[in-house]
Amino acid sequence: MPTAPQTTDELYEALQENDRRPYGRTRTVTAEELVDAAEQFAEPVPLVHALFELQEAYTYGSEPRKSPVVFARLLTLFDEQPEVFDERRRHLLFWRFKWVANALLALPEIPLAALRQWLTEMRDRYERAGLGLQPYYGQAYQLAAHIGEGTTLAHELWAGRPRTPLSDCEACEICELARHHLAAGDDERALGVWEPVLAGKESCQEEPARSVSYALLPLLRTGRTDRARELHLAGYRGCRRNPSMSAEIGRHLEFCALTGNEARGLELLAENRNLFDEVESPLEMSGFLTGVEVLLQRVELLGHGELPAAGYAGRTWTVAALRAEVRGRGEDLAARFDARNGTTAHTDRRRARLERAPLLDALELTLRTRRLDDVTPAAPVAAPAARTDAGAPESLPELILRARALEKEGHPDARACWERLRTRAAARDYTHPEDPAVGPLVRLRADLLADEAGRAGEKDEFADSAALHEEAAGLYDDAGAPGDAAFARACALLATAEIPAEGDGEDAGAKAAALTAAHAAMVRLHEETPGLAPHQEARLLRLRATALGMRLQTSGSEEHVAPVFAEADLLHAFATRHDVGSQISGALLLRASTHALSGDLPAAVTETDGLLDRLKASGPAWHLPRTLGLRGRLQLGLRDAPAAHADLAEGLRLAADWPAGTVDTSRIHSDLAEACMHLGRPDEALRHLTRSAELDLRGGSRTDAFCTYSNAAQLCLDLGRVEDCIALLDSLLAGPDVTGGELDDRLVAQLRLTRARALHAGEDLKAATAELLVLAAESADWEDDPGSHAMIAAETAVLLGESGEFGRAREVAEQALAAHARAPRYEQLSNCLRELARLQAQQQGPDGLPDALARLADAGRVADEARAAGYEARGRSLDTALAYEYGRVHAHAGEYEAAVSALDEALVLIGEPGPEEGSAEEWAECVRLAGAVEGLYLERPAPALARLDSAVSRLTALGHTEEAGELGSLAARLRDEE
């Protein structure tokens, strides 16, 4: 706290500001400082308020040892100055007897006799104050349940009594009742009791998050897996990183462990690492540690004990080491509680959780399903076996010759052979075979470098690829293999042409020129290299055609089409003459791609049809998936989604027969997502998008992966799958690519923006506003992109308005307007300003009208600018929207005559409705609001009915029956009220 409050008004303002902070050390320390500040004032009421705030901070900040101390001060003040406690403060004081009971329960060092003594004190105080005893019996039941003795009688004494104003809220009591049935082994009855809370009909600060955590396993045991999944996502978000709900987080970790989601469990554990150090409640910590141990035990049982795990600060942990540490601490806490209570309940409950068997082999919890193998640290592993491993050569000469033979025909299994050779050649005891057929060691080294260069190119590491190809060419020269050297140099030329230019953006003309030069150099190299074998010459011709194809793709110029066809035909003729099968299909594929790039999609489809027939008859079979993928994309271009989906799905199926990397399956998944959207199957599209992203991420294409994830998150939000969207984004934003700063900051900002919108859609206004405020502050520094800042600031201002913080909303809106002046965002700014005006008039009535009208005046200036710039809004025009909002704002403020006038002006601007849907809907809404204001608030039903009846007739004649029906319903209401 910068400066201590000097007046009681400043103190109350500081208390309100602190109340908006999340629970944790910052809020608690500030609350402590505010108590010190309150003690300087002569009047006791500010101190009472500050002490209440401090006790709340301790309670929900998981510091149970301090909460009773603060309450003791409050109780002393109440005994000495009861007049200070008005009805509200008195109610709060008696309510918090229960907080102290729970705090003492959570501390094993507090003797059982002291717990009972406190409950006696509570009962006596309630009786003297004339208060009902149901809350006391509720606390007595919770003590019995904690100890594990006398629960039946305690439950009857509590549950059979009527509720009082000091009873726990409905949601909390439902949770205790359901847990009673759960402890008795009756899952169905427990879930029946829980239903109002799980359905969101009853809630409080801790609910439904607490109930959800207990209900997850009963839901699984009763076969309600979809509901369990849904509640896990929503419930976990309600307690993540919260020290006062660490036991609930432990139950979510246990849920992950028992549903085959151990990798997600480790991810959530890392996200909640702070709890190891921040939880001061032994009872909460005991529940958390047991859930952590269930997870770690499962991971270790699956053979992944050496995986890294997030644990106590100060050292790095493996799963096995952390499990041992957690087990010791958990056993100690359970023993301490049992020693205090004189039972074995805590040890028994802990053992039961640890001995629980998995309930499902695999339950897909999130869109980003991950396995433990996905989080295993990269380590040198043996190369994958080639597909023909059953008859694979074991001798070194045979392996070298086989690798070269496979490489010659472009077979995907060559990659695995080179990996095996790389491992063997790197061994200290490697001895190169003295075999003329194999050749010298330098040639093998050249082969391995050429393979490594190809891998670098696949990762878009073009500079590295070019250098490696050049090095390989030199070694081939040394080995007396000029044909291989020429091909390596041609590959280096192409890789060099693909190196991005320095600076912002990429100049298409410069890249096209680089590719032209590379092609010319390849032609010279081809002509100057005598004695090429047919497969070498075919590969050089393929590279020449590829360079020109890439030039066409870069430039889009019509003059670049014919040269590609010429080179492809040259390759086709040569490969056919020498029966080089893989290059025949390569030439045909180039022709099809060139037709597509030139815009002749039907011709491209014809080419691929012929190629597919040839591949099915003569092979090579590994070209089939790629060709089907191409035809699928062409069908998408021709808007034949069913045919596209069929080709792409078949291509994906066939790709599974070949080693990873043979086919760009990420692209096929992405195209399948597009086909599914055209077919009206968005959920299937979502699955393909996330799969595409995961494949890109594994392949090292980080930016492509996160762009696809961003699209998936937005689709998720559009589909109303809010919790799925948030869970996906939380997983991405907590990952090392983001936390390590390896991802473009604008892309990260887009992910966070989508998350804020999802939080808002999920009705978590506080969290959404906090996220947007941070984004707005960051984007203010984007000198190169003021338009994005204008958009983000506009959205932030609206959320602040929804929260009733109109002063801050106005400040942020002014930032948006300033950025808009540099990079106009007419529609976003107009929408923001109109919505702020509506919110202020709606929430503040006549008092908010001046500020609301000021926002509308700003919106009017934006509309004028848009009109002058010739801007056309995507939806309704900014002028008609503004006129309608003037009507709505005046109506909220009680200025009904002005509202009707504004709405009449809006109707003039909209014009008469036509057969199209959009204008009729907007026109009908204006009529509806004008009729409602005129008939209901101005109490002039006759003109209102005339307006409505005329509109109904007009809309009905135009076929807009839905809009006509809504107006007819309002007219009927007005007639009834007459």
Side-chain angles (χ1 to χ4, degrees):
M1 192 167 59
T3 57
Q6 300 302 309
T7 66
T8 55
D9 286 344
E10 289 180 0
L11 176 71
Y12 288 133
E13 184 177 337
L15 286 169
Q16 289 177 351
E17 183 180 348
N18 199 38
D19 186 58
R20 290 192 289 266
R21 291 190 175 99
Y23 296 108
R25 287 306 303 159
T26 301
R27 176 166 176 165
T28 299
V29 169
T30 303
E32 290 169 340
E33 293 172 347
L34 290 174
V35 167
D36 293 339
E39 290 177 330
Q40 71 178 309
F41 303 115
E43 50 186 311
V45 173
L47 178 59
V48 170
H49 281 287
L51 288 170
F52 275 136
E53 163 61 25
L54 180 57
Q55 189 192 12
E56 181 177 342
Y58 285 147
T59 299
Y60 289 106
S62 189
E63 296 189 60
R65 290 180 176 86
K66 298 178 180 179
S67 173
V69 178
V70 178
F71 188 74
R73 291 189 65 183
L74 284 164
L75 203 55
T76 299
L77 282 168
F78 176 72
D79 289 339
E80 293 175 351
Q81 304 177 67
E83 71 280 359
V84 168
F85 290 77
D86 60 13
E87 184 176 348
R88 176 185 168 278
R89 289 188 282 273
R90 180 176 178 275
H91 177 87
L92 203 56
L93 180 84
F94 279 96
W95 182 278
R96 294 194 178 184
F97 271 90
K98 298 179 293 181
W99 284 17
V100 175
N102 287 325
L104 297 176
L105 190 75
L107 303 172
E109 64 267 29
I110 302 298
L112 187 59
L115 294 179
R116 299 192 191 281
Q117 183 180 347
W118 178 254
L119 290 183
T120 301
E121 173 78 8
M122 176 182 174
R123 184 188 61 201
D124 292 346
R125 292 268 188 172
Y126 271 50
E127 284 180 335
R128 289 200 300 271
L131 301 170
L133 292 182
Q134 194 262 10
Y136 157 75
Y137 283 107
Q139 292 301 308
Y141 166 73
Q142 289 183 38
L143 177 59
H146 170 82
I147 295 170
E149 286 185 349
T151 54
T152 302
L153 176 59
H155 179 265
E156 291 175 358
L157 290 172
W158 162 56
R161 291 175 180 270
R163 288 173 49 78
T164 77
L166 287 167
S167 296
D168 282 345
C169 74
E170 290 273 9
C172 287
E173 288 206 343
I174 285 172
C175 183
E176 291 299 330
L177 289 167
R179 287 177 60 194
H180 178 73
H181 297 307
L182 193 62
D186 194 340
D187 286 346
E188 287 289 357
R189 190 171 181 186
L191 291 171
V193 171
W194 255 320
E195 184 53 34
V197 175
L198 301 182
K201 297 176 182 177
E202 298 290 346
S203 63
C204 68
Q205 177 136 318
E206 298 171 335
E207 295 291 352
R210 176 153 291 162
S211 289
V212 163
S213 73
Y214 282 105
L216 292 173
L217 298 188
L219 285 166
L220 291 180
R221 288 194 292 262
T222 56
R224 299 171 172 92
T225 53
D226 287 343
R227 188 84 188 282
R229 174 189 178 278
E230 169 193 335
L231 290 174
H232 162 69
L233 295 179
Y236 169 71
R237 183 164 60 84
C239 57
R240 63 199 289 260
R241 299 178 185 163
N242 185 345
S244 70
M245 303 201 80
S246 53
E248 283 69 26
I249 292 168
R251 285 187 282 276
H252 281 280
L253 297 179
E254 180 180 0
F255 175 75
C256 290
L258 300 181
T259 56
N261 287 278
E262 297 84 4
R264 174 168 168 79
L266 291 177
E267 187 177 280
L268 300 190
L269 178 61
E271 191 175 13
N272 291 278
R273 185 175 192 163
N274 63 302
L275 300 183
F276 285 106
D277 302 309
E278 293 180 11
V279 176
E280 297 292 336
S281 166
L283 188 60
E284 285 287 327
M285 180 58 81
S286 177
F288 173 64
L289 291 181
T290 301
V292 172
E293 188 178 348
V294 171
L295 170 66
L296 299 178
Q297 174 181 269
R298 181 65 184 159
V299 174
E300 192 170 5
L301 186 66
L302 292 171
H304 294 276
E306 295 308 308
L307 273 179
Y312 295 93
R315 61 166 284 187
T316 57
W317 297 91
T318 64
V319 166
L322 182 60
R323 180 193 172 197
E325 180 73 18
V326 164
R327 180 172 61 243
R329 296 189 187 218
E331 288 174 348
D332 177 65
L333 281 172
R336 289 174 62 197
F337 279 112
D338 285 343
R340 190 267 303 273
N341 299 336
T343 65
T344 61
H346 286 261
T347 298
D348 294 343
R349 291 166 189 163
R350 176 180 152 76
R351 184 186 304 112
R353 290 177 68 181
L354 289 166
E355 291 177 353
R356 197 171 276 144
L359 298 173
L360 291 172
D361 291 334
L363 172 63
E364 187 175 311
L365 291 181
T366 68
L367 293 170
R368 194 185 183 203
T369 302
R370 305 184 76 202
R371 302 163 299 169
L372 287 172
D373 290 336
D374 296 327
V375 295
T376 301
V381 295
R387 286 163 46 84
T388 52
D389 216 33
E394 293 297 327
S395 75
L396 187 59
E398 287 178 315
L399 182 58
I400 295 172
L401 293 174
R402 178 168 184 78
R404 288 174 181 159
L406 291 171
E407 184 72 30
K408 177 179 175 181
E409 61 176 313
H411 198 290
D413 286 345
R415 179 70 48 91
C417 291
W418 291 130
E419 276 300 312
R420 293 172 62 192
L421 284 167
R422 184 173 284 109
T423 301
R424 294 180 68 168
R428 285 180 162 223
D429 60 350
Y430 176 77
T431 301
H432 193 69
E434 295 290 337
D435 186 336
V438 170
L441 175 59
V442 68
R443 183 178 175 190
L444 176 60
R445 288 177 176 166
D447 291 336
L448 295 175
L449 275 175
D451 176 68
E452 187 179 349
R455 292 171 186 266
E458 290 170 5
K459 297 177 183 178
D460 293 345
E461 297 168 357
F462 299 117
D464 291 343
S465 178
L468 289 167
H469 276 304
E470 284 289 358
E471 187 177 354
L475 294 180
Y476 279 128
D477 283 336
D478 295 342
D484 291 328
F487 179 70
R489 288 193 173 91
C491 289
L493 288 168
L494 186 59
T496 301
E498 291 190 82
I499 297 174
E502 294 184 5
D504 296 333
E506 186 173 12
D507 185 346
K511 184 173 181 181
L515 288 164
T516 299
H519 175 262
M522 288 179 196
V523 172
R524 288 195 300 273
L525 181 64
H526 189 176
E527 293 171 347
E528 294 167 0
T529 307
L532 289 168
H535 78 278
Q536 293 170 333
E537 190 160 0
R539 294 177 82 184
L540 275 171
L541 287 168
R542 174 71 176 273
L543 273 184
R544 287 167 48 175
T546 299
L548 294 184
M550 291 173 62
R551 182 181 68 174
L552 172 60
Q553 188 173 18
T554 300
S555 70
S557 173
E558 187 176 347
E559 65 180 288
H560 290 156
V561 174
V564 186
F565 280 125
E567 285 282 31
D569 290 344
L570 186 62
L571 169 62
H572 185 264
F574 180 89
T576 301
R577 186 163 62 252
H578 293 280
D579 195 25
V580 186
S582 62
Q583 299 299 352
I584 295 173
S585 62
L588 295 173
L589 195 61
L590 274 168
R591 283 188 56 84
S593 299
T594 305
H595 279 301
L597 289 171
S598 65
D600 192 349
L601 298 187
V605 170
T606 300
E607 288 276 2
T608 54
D609 288 344
L611 175 55
L612 285 168
D613 289 340
R614 186 186 189 286
L615 290 172
K616 290 172 184 177
S618 308
W622 60 88
H623 282 192
L624 270 169
R626 181 181 175 188
T627 307
L628 283 164
L630 173 60
R631 190 168 71 174
R633 286 192 291 280
L634 295 172
Q635 300 288 10
L636 281 175
L638 292 169
R639 300 185 180 182
D640 189 348
H645 187 278
D647 279 342
L648 292 165
E650 178 65 6
L652 196 60
R653 186 186 70 80
L654 293 176
D657 294 337
W658 301 98
T662 303
V663 182
D664 186 359
T665 50
S666 170
R667 175 67 185 271
I668 294 180
H669 277 291
S670 179
D671 292 333
L672 269 169
E674 182 180 349
C676 289
M677 289 301 293
H678 288 302
L679 292 170
R681 288 145 59 175
D683 291 315
E684 186 181 341
L686 199 52
R687 288 195 295 274
H688 285 299
L689 278 178
T690 52
R691 183 60 180 155
S692 173
E694 202 65 34
L695 288 168
D696 276 337
L697 198 59
R698 291 179 189 174
S701 301
R702 183 185 294 115
T703 300
D704 289 342
F706 276 84
C707 285
T708 304
Y709 273 132
S710 180
N711 293 336
Q714 184 59 55
L715 175 57
C716 223
L717 187 55
D718 294 341
L719 293 174
R721 294 173 58 174
V722 174
E723 297 300 340
D724 280 317
C725 177
I726 295 171
L728 172 61
L729 291 169
D730 282 346
S731 175
L732 296 172
L733 291 169
D737 294 301
V738 175
T739 57
E742 297 177 7
L743 199 65
D744 178 75
D745 62 342
R746 305 299 168 85
L747 182 50
V748 174
Q750 180 59 57
L751 296 173
R752 290 166 57 198
L753 179 61
T754 305
R755 183 177 183 273
R757 290 167 175 166
L759 288 168
H760 185 230
E763 300 182 355
D764 193 344
L765 180 59
K766 186 175 182 179
T769 306
E771 182 74 89
L772 277 178
L773 279 167
V774 174
L775 271 176
E778 291 176 5
S779 62
D781 296 329
W782 295 352
E783 292 297 328
D784 60 326
D785 190 9
S788 289
H789 174 58
M791 177 194 68
I792 293 170
E795 288 194 41
T796 307
V798 171
L799 264 62
L800 286 167
E802 289 184 25
S803 304
E805 298 184 55
F806 292 107
R808 295 178 74 193
R810 181 175 62 254
E811 293 173 5
V812 177
E814 287 171 356
Q815 294 175 22
L817 283 167
H820 159 79
R822 297 173 56 200
R825 294 292 186 272
Y826 301 109
E827 199 155 359
Q828 289 94 333
L829 265 294
S830 175
N831 292 344
C832 160
L833 295 165
R834 297 194 322 267
E835 182 65 6
L836 277 179
R838 182 193 70 79
L839 288 167
Q840 193 152 12
Q842 184 182 50
Q843 293 181 29
Q844 297 180 346
D847 292 341
L849 184 58
D851 283 342
L853 292 177
R855 300 290 77 72
L856 291 181
D858 290 338
R861 285 187 283 275
V862 171
D864 292 341
E865 294 168 6
R867 197 182 316 108
Y871 175 82
E872 290 188 13
R874 287 173 295 178
R876 57 182 177 168
S877 81
L878 303 188
D879 291 313
T880 60
L882 180 61
Y884 171 77
E885 209 60 68
Y886 266 109
R888 193 155 58 157
V889 163
H890 279 102
H892 282 309
E895 298 287 339
Y896 301 124
E897 293 289 2
V900 172
S901 297
L903 291 167
D904 283 338
E905 180 183 344
L907 287 167
V908 171
L909 289 171
I910 295 169
E912 292 297 314
E916 62 278 2
E917 191 65 35
S919 64
E921 184 179 349
E922 186 181 6
W923 186 84
E925 172 55 23
C926 274
V927 172
R928 185 201 64 78
L929 184 54
V933 171
E934 199 168 28
L936 297 174
Y937 297 102
L938 290 174
E939 298 182 352
R940 299 202 298 254
L945 284 169
R947 179 195 298 270
L948 292 168
D949 290 342
S950 173
V952 168
S953 298
R954 191 171 306 172
L955 291 169
T956 302
L958 291 169
H960 300 300
T961 55
E962 183 177 346
E963 291 81 0
E966 292 175 0
L967 297 185
S969 298
L970 177 58
R973 177 184 170 188
L974 290 177
R975 287 191 171 90
D976 288 342
E977 294 190 5
E978 274 190 303

